[in-house]
Amino acid sequence: MQRLSADAPPNNQSGVSSEIVGFTPRTIDWNAVRVFAEKNLRIAMRYPANILVWAFLPLMWFAPYVLMMVAIGGGSSVHFTEISGFEDFIAFAVIGWFVYTYVDTTIWSIGQNFRWEQFSGTLEPLFVAPVPRTSILIGAAISDTVSTSISALIMLGTSCIIFGVGYAVTAIVPIILVLMMMVVALFGFGFMIAGLIIVFKDPSVLTELIDNVVFALSPVSYPIQVLPRAAQVAAYALPATIAIMTIRELAIGGAAEVVSFLSTIGALGLLIVAFWVLGLLCFRYAERWTKKRGSMGGF
Amino acid sequence: MNNLTVEIDKLSKTFVSVKRRAVVIPTSKKEVEALKSVSLDIPRGNVYGLLGPNGAGKTTLVKTLATLVLPTSGTARVLDHDILKQPEYVRAVIGVCQGNERSIYWKLSARENLVFFGKLYRMTQSEAKERADELLGMMGLLEKADEKAEALSHGMRMKIVFARALLHDPEVLLLDEPTQGLDPTFATDLRNHIKRELSHKTILLTTHYMHEADMLCDKIALINEGEIKSLGTPHELKEDVRNYDSLHIRVVGIPDINPIKAMPEVMSASSTSRNGHAELVVTAQDGYDLAHRILNVLHEDQNLKVEHFEVKEPTLDDVFLKLTGRRIED
Amino acid sequence: MTQSSFNQELQKREGFRSELCAAQAIAVRIWRVELSYPLSVLWFIAMPFVWLIPMLLTGNAVSGGPESVNLETLTGTSDWVSYVAIGTAVLGLTMSLMWGTANAFRREQNAGTLETLMTTPIKKGTLIWGALLHNIQHGGLGVVLQLVGSMLLFGVSLNIWGILPALAIIALMVIGMQGIVLTLVCVVLLAKQGWMVIEFLASGLTLLAPMAYPLAVFPPIIQYIATASPLTWSVDAFRNFLIFGLAGPAANQAVAALLILDTIYLLIGMVLFKRTEKYVRSKGALTQF
């Protein structure tokens, strides 16, 4: 507490002030990202039941799809194999849902993070801290990705047992690579949603709408070929579509063509850049928009 | 029907909180006695105040009368309706105003809020609308009647909350800290309204503002740790401390008040400091005689500059202090 | 309007009618609040379709056309689009009932208005009945929207002779679900994370109800468990009436099962609610539960 003693010089030459003098605002403060992610994970670990809940609830949501496929198609479907290239539509759907869990988390949690901080009464202290809000968003996104991974893996394991499906683990490294790139691209997508939420202030309905539209466009339980032409184009512009298709190919077939794999990586790289630029711009614009109207408090 | 509107009979409330491990296994049990055999009768048309610090049991008493909390033992009657046996009847004759602007719907307009609640009090649409407009007019809010509550100021929202309590023209009003957090103008408006327009009502008012209790109440119950310590008119209560004076001293610097507290005539001494200045309040018997000695302690012994010195009449806070050893605003 | 006589006049108006008026006022108030969020209106209209479309796309991917031989073997109808569209129409209503009504207390608490409502002379249950009334209106409109939309967009055809009996089935379903919802209200009142229980139960009942598939796709033990849910019988009977009309299979059995289940669930729900509400008041925890 030397720095606060009465003997300390009262001007900027002192130790305490040098931090302030050296302070320059950053676009993203990675230290804050880490601190915020750690804080969120620490809180998440205090509620281990939540992670289990999120492992089993999605199972109950996608089981109706699988059961419906069984009721309509019986054990197998020639039509499905023709359009998708896969024989087992249950294995097809389960891996689709596994990857989509990350999309679901991005849509629900990143956008709503500020809302949760507000409910716990910590939003104002966070907003007055000299930390860019994007760092808070990224921190939340990282911690959510970690807890989602645990839930999603439990869900995948349980689904394999219940529905009797199995996947090749030979291509695990490329699967992880594609999954990680998709998650990073999704962060950018999440920033866009966060921006929309601070403008519309109606998070549950807005996220519900976005989630359902993205879900309908994503090839989760059906191949992209069943969508109308325009919807297919829109689907490819989503960060998860290419990743779901590639991961499915790797997990069911155990391998992928080198050229097609590399083009996937290239496309995901482009999507990352596009979504981060768009997402950050959108969030900043939204923040300025609400500040101008003084409606941040209401949110 | 007797002349007593509210009869509180040995009302006790103990809150028990149990800490559990793994949801079911109790590990520790904590009991808090919020009300300890409280008895109080309020005659028709009187305003009674409950004065006490935070956590004294005021809100628990109001909530128990409003049938929101079940007592552990004892009961109360409001217009001869028992709060335990006939809670619906009690709710029909009381109006409750809790000093919380969140107790109305912010997405509805002032009028919509009042019409909605009016219907819950069994009014028809036209009756509710007529009554809403009457009250909004009384509160000076008719022009804002169709604006959503979220667009109104805090004071205006509190006026709607207050109007809501008056909607069904109840005989008994329970006002729990009605002016808390209000800006002084609105608070004065509301007090004047209670004084002028509601003089025929039976009112139980909780507050920790002494001047509010002094101004509005026919009788005041001083409540501390769930017990009513004294009941009387403001004048009667102050009788107890008639021989006491309240010395208010402002000094530059931070005084040591222990030597003052040690003086046998001193009932209490407290000090609050801000920006290098301290405000001392000393309550003592025959304060004028003691003033010289206290000033000496501050000026001579502690070398502090005395900026201001004043001897005041004792307040309800001093009465409370004498009875409980703590101040209301502690 | 003399002062005290007005209050006395209001006091005389007790009884079922006044509770019904209060419940209707609550239902209207929830509508007003909902409609004040423009996105909610959009969601209300879009919801039935954004849920249905992925199901239809999935079904189409498997069947390759409007007919399914496998479904015909299991249910007697090969028109899987009608089967799924009519079965899932009840989903929105179920969700409205389970979420909207069970959370009636929590929503008021979050808004800060719960205690104020509790100081009015309405019966405690009226708050739930009001929310229920709203959710029947809200969910019911959703059912109509989905069915009409399905007829216009996806060529679903309804048997008009089955409409009235289907409505009666919905009424029986609402009664049984209300018993379950009252139990859920108790969970919400007692447990901080009551939403988890609602989520599990709502998802579980939806999964067991044969909305998009017949019970036959389940293992026998799960088929047996599913018969304990009023939703299972309701969905099946509702769809059978709308597809086959009055000649639908096992209609009497469904009605009898629903009557028995409704009685059991409603009784359990009411007893639990009464006890829980008293317990919460004795804890003085109305604002903090």
Side-chain angles (χ1 to χ4, degrees):
Chain A
M1 285 288 107
Q2 174 67 34
R3 297 188 298 189
L4 295 176
S5 75
D7 300 331
N11 54 32
N12 284 347
Q13 306 305 311
S14 71
V16 67
S17 308
S18 62
E19 287 167 18
I20 309 293
V21 170
F23 177 82
T24 44
R26 301 169 196 159
T27 313
I28 295 169
D29 181 341
W30 290 102
N31 190 46
V33 169
R34 186 178 56 80
V35 170
F36 199 74
E38 278 176 9
K39 184 270 293 176
N40 276 6
L41 277 175
R42 198 162 288 140
I43 293 172
M45 290 305 153
R46 303 265 153 87
Y47 298 96
N50 279 6
I51 291 175
L52 277 180
V53 165
W54 292 119
F56 291 106
L57 266 180
L59 195 65
M60 297 170 98
W61 297 335
F62 89 77
Y65 283 86
V66 175
L67 293 168
M68 184 185 73
M69 289 164 110
V70 172
I72 295 173
S76 62
S77 159
V78 179
H79 181 255
F80 190 88
T81 310
E82 273 172 11
I83 55 168
S84 70
F86 294 95
E87 281 184 11
D88 184 351
F89 54 69
I90 300 180
F92 178 98
V94 168
I95 194 74
W97 271 90
F98 166 75
V99 182
Y100 192 77
T101 311
Y102 287 88
V103 184
D104 214 32
T105 306
T106 308
I107 294 172
W108 278 99
S109 57
I110 301 182
Q112 297 227 38
N113 205 271
F114 283 167
R115 197 83 190 170
W116 289 341
E117 294 289 346
Q118 188 194 33
F119 277 136
S120 57
T122 45
L123 186 69
E124 286 189 359
L126 275 179
F127 274 15
V128 295
V131 168
R133 276 155 208 176
T134 42
S135 304
I136 299 173
L137 285 178
I138 299 170
I142 290 173
S143 56
D144 286 336
T145 305
V146 174
S147 44
T148 303
S149 297
I150 301 170
S151 301
L153 283 171
I154 298 173
M155 188 194 83
L156 185 63
T158 318
S159 308
C160 287
I161 297 166
I162 293 176
F163 299 113
V165 291
Y167 297 98
V169 285
T170 44
I172 192 78
V173 176
I175 287 178
I176 292 173
L177 179 68
V178 173
L179 197 62
M180 282 175 70
M181 290 186 80
M182 177 196 76
V183 165
V184 175
L186 280 171
F187 286 2
F189 187 61
F191 303 156
M192 281 170 67
I193 296 172
L196 285 174
I197 283 176
I198 61 171
V199 171
F200 284 103
K201 302 182 186 65
D202 195 4
S204 54
V205 174
L206 186 69
T207 32
E208 191 88 57
L209 268 171
I210 295 172
D211 191 17
N212 280 286
V213 171
V214 172
F215 175 72
L217 290 175
S218 303
V220 178
S221 53
Y222 42 80
I224 200 160
Q225 288 81 352
V226 299
L227 291 175
R229 196 88 200 130
Q232 284 187 33
V233 175
Y236 277 114
L238 292 172
T241 304
I242 298 172
I244 292 175
M245 290 162 69
T246 311
I247 290 172
R248 182 178 280 141
E249 203 179 322
L250 289 165
I252 295 177
E257 278 178 39
V258 178
V259 178
S260 114
F261 181 73
L262 287 178
S263 56
T264 297
I265 297 292
L268 278 172
L270 280 176
L271 282 175
I272 290 175
V273 176
F275 274 104
W276 273 64
V277 171
L278 258 173
L280 288 174
L281 281 175
C282 180
F283 183 74
R284 286 192 159 194
Y285 179 77
E287 200 185 347
R288 250 202 311 274
W289 192 89
T290 43
K291 270 187 187 167
K292 266 187 201 160
R293 283 156 184 79
S295 58
M296 190 66 105
F299 142 80
Chain B
M1 197 184 280
N2 65 36
N3 191 39
L4 295 175
T5 311
V6 178
E7 300 161 86
I8 303 173
D9 185 14
K10 293 182 189 146
L11 214 53
S12 296
K13 178 67 198 174
T14 305
F15 290 109
V16 183
S17 61
V18 183
K19 275 195 173 175
R20 293 173 195 277
R21 196 171 50 227
V23 187
V24 282
I25 309 160
T27 52
S28 68
K29 193 172 160 184
K30 196 177 150 200
E31 291 195 351
V32 179
E33 279 188 276
L35 295 174
K36 298 173 190 166
S37 197
V38 171
S39 293
L40 182 70
D41 292 335
I42 310 179
R44 190 177 299 272
N46 273 230
V47 180
Y48 271 40
L50 278 175
L51 192 61
N54 288 333
K58 305 185 298 277
T59 299
T60 305
L61 184 57
V62 168
K63 284 189 178 180
T64 310
L65 289 176
T67 75
L68 291 171
V69 170
L70 283 177
T72 312
S73 64
T75 189
R77 280 170 296 283
V78 180
L79 288 169
D80 285 335
H81 301 303
D82 192 295
I83 59 163
L84 296 176
K85 293 176 190 150
Q86 300 163 295
E88 280 92 2
Y89 289 92
V90 172
R91 291 201 292 269
V93 295
I94 59 169
V96 185
C97 169
Q98 291 176 295
N100 172 13
E101 60 173 349
R102 276 274 165 199
S103 62
I104 50 167
Y105 296 93
W106 285 28
K107 286 283 170 192
L108 300 187
S109 70
R111 186 182 278 125
E112 284 171 342
N113 261 294
L114 295 181
V115 169
F116 165 67
F117 278 106
K119 286 184 178 172
L120 300 192
Y121 283 98
R122 302 164 186 171
M123 291 178 209
T124 61
Q125 170 82 16
S126 57
E127 276 173 345
K129 201 170 165 299
E130 189 188 335
R131 184 72 181 138
D133 285 353
E134 186 184 337
L135 286 165
L136 288 170
M138 206 187 281
M139 298 284 162
L141 282 177
L142 257 186
E143 280 182 13
K144 304 270 182 188
D146 292 318
E147 282 186 31
K148 279 187 186 167
E150 65 184 357
L152 301 177
S153 70
H154 170 67
M156 289 174 182
R157 283 195 287 262
M158 284 304 296
K159 281 186 172 179
I160 304 172
V161 171
F162 192 69
R164 198 203 57 76
L166 302 177
L167 257 181
H168 52 305
D169 196 17
E171 174 106 25
V172 179
L173 281 168
L174 305 176
L175 308 179
D176 189 12
E177 307 271 6
T179 57
Q180 193 176 34
L182 279 187
D183 73 51
T185 323
F186 272 123
T188 310
D189 274 2
L190 212 59
R191 284 183 200 120
N192 288 337
H193 184 86
I194 295 171
K195 187 104 185 144
R196 270 200 322 267
E197 310 287 339
L198 307 175
S199 55
H200 56 289
K201 304 272 183 206
T202 307
I203 300 176
L204 180 63
L205 167 88
T206 79
T207 180
H208 60 262
Y209 299 130
M210 283 153 293
H211 62 286
E212 186 170 284
D214 227 345
M215 171 190 173
L216 297 175
C217 299
D218 298 309
K219 279 195 174 182
I220 293 168
L222 298 177
I223 184 167
N224 188 42
E225 292 176 352
E227 282 178 294
I228 291 185
K229 297 290 183 185
S230 187
L231 172 72
T233 63
H235 183 74
E236 284 166 356
L237 290 172
K238 286 179 197 166
E239 274 294 296
D240 283 350
V241 289
R242 204 170 44 176
N243 296 331
Y244 287 79
D245 293 303
S246 194
L247 280 65
H248 294 246
I249 308 154
R250 193 165 64 238
V251 296
V252 182
I254 312 293
D256 172 12
I257 57 169
N258 287 324
I260 300 171
K261 275 185 172 170
M263 294 176 184
E265 300 90 338
V266 170
M267 185 168 78
S268 86
S270 62
S271 160
T272 49
S273 54
R274 198 167 54 188
N275 299 333
H277 296 254
E279 188 97 30
L280 278 84
V281 180
V282 181
T283 309
Q285 241 167 348
D286 303 321
Y288 280 100
D289 300 339
L290 201 63
H292 184 67
R293 278 165 57 202
I294 291 174
L295 289 174
N296 257 348
V297 168
L298 295 170
H299 186 64
E300 304 296 331
D301 301 353
Q302 298 186 20
N303 205 18
L304 297 167
K305 186 183 168 195
V306 176
E307 288 186 319
H308 180 81
F309 175 83
E310 194 180 356
V311 181
K312 289 183 179 172
E313 287 280 301
T315 63
L316 288 168
D317 198 22
D318 296 309
V319 181
F320 195 83
L321 179 73
K322 184 162 184 273
L323 287 166
T324 66
R326 64 189 282 211
R327 289 200 175 273
I328 290 169
E329 288 176 4
D330 274 354
Chain C
M1 206 185 287
T2 58
Q3 298 283 340
S4 56
S5 66
F6 179 54
N7 185 263
Q8 280 166 4
E9 167 67 30
L10 293 176
Q11 285 178 55
K12 283 182 202 151
R13 298 179 193 170
E14 58 181 333
F16 178 73
R17 196 160 164 260
S18 67
E19 296 298 327
L20 196 67
C21 288
Q24 176 60 18
I26 291 168
V28 171
R29 197 258 307 149
I30 302 175
W31 272 116
R32 276 186 205 278
V33 174
E34 268 181 12
L35 295 177
S36 70
Y37 292 96
L39 277 175
S40 296
V41 182
L42 180 63
W43 173 237
F44 173 67
I45 297 166
M47 184 184 69
F49 302 104
V50 292
W51 281 353
L52 179 63
I53 288 170
M55 289 224 128
L56 295 184
L57 287 170
T58 308
N60 197 34
V62 180
S63 70
E67 307 277 320
S68 159
V69 182
N70 196 57
L71 190 74
E72 188 170 20
T73 319
L74 294 170
T75 65
T77 176
S78 62
D79 178 3
W80 68 268
V81 178
S82 296
Y83 188 88
V84 172
I86 297 172
T88 53
V90 188
L91 182 66
L93 177 61
T94 313
M95 289 297 161
S96 276
L97 290 175
M98 300 273 275
W99 276 105
T101 318
N103 271 330
F105 275 79
R106 177 69 73 191
R107 202 171 37 224
E108 299 293 345
Q109 186 216 8
N110 286 344
T113 44
L114 181 63
E115 285 210 332
T116 311
L117 285 172
M118 287 301 172
T119 61
T120 66
I122 58 169
K123 292 196 189 306
K124 298 285 187 295
T126 304
L127 179 55
I128 301 173
W129 300 118
L132 173 77
L133 200 58
H134 165 80
N135 291 316
I136 292 174
Q137 295 159 358
H138 187 142
L141 270 174
V143 174
V144 173
L145 204 62
Q146 177 162 338
L147 288 178
V148 172
S150 301
M151 288 166 73
L152 298 175
L153 300 173
F154 310 120
V156 170
S157 58
L158 303 182
N159 187 316
I160 50 164
W161 297 106
I163 290 176
L164 277 179
L167 284 176
I169 289 293
I170 290 286
L172 286 173
M173 178 187 108
V174 168
I175 296 169
M177 293 301 290
Q178 185 59 14
I180 295 172
V181 164
L182 279 170
T183 315
L184 285 178
V185 171
C186 301
V187 175
V188 173
L189 282 170
L190 295 174
K192 272 186 187 160
Q193 287 186 301
W195 66 267
M196 271 188 198
V197 182
I198 303 182
E199 186 72 69
F200 264 104
L201 203 70
S203 306
L205 289 180
T206 315
L207 183 63
L208 291 180
M211 289 184 182
Y213 41 83
L215 276 187
V217 297
F218 285 119
I221 178 77
I222 295 183
Q223 290 185 31
Y224 185 68
I225 295 170
T227 54
S229 159
L231 199 58
T232 304
W233 294 98
S234 312
V235 170
D236 221 19
F238 176 75
R239 181 173 41 217
N240 284 341
F241 277 126
L242 288 182
I243 291 180
F244 302 109
L246 295 170
N252 291 341
Q253 195 190 354
V255 171
L258 276 172
L259 285 172
I260 295 167
L261 290 175
D262 284 4
T263 314
I264 296 170
Y265 282 108
L266 201 60
L267 278 176
I268 295 174
M270 283 167 84
V271 170
L272 281 177
F273 175 68
K274 213 171 167 104
R275 291 181 74 98
T276 308
E277 190 269 328
K278 204 170 171 186
Y279 172 77
V280 170
R281 273 205 300 150
S282 74
K283 297 279 281 182
L286 217 47
T287 46
Q288 358 162 341
F289 63 74

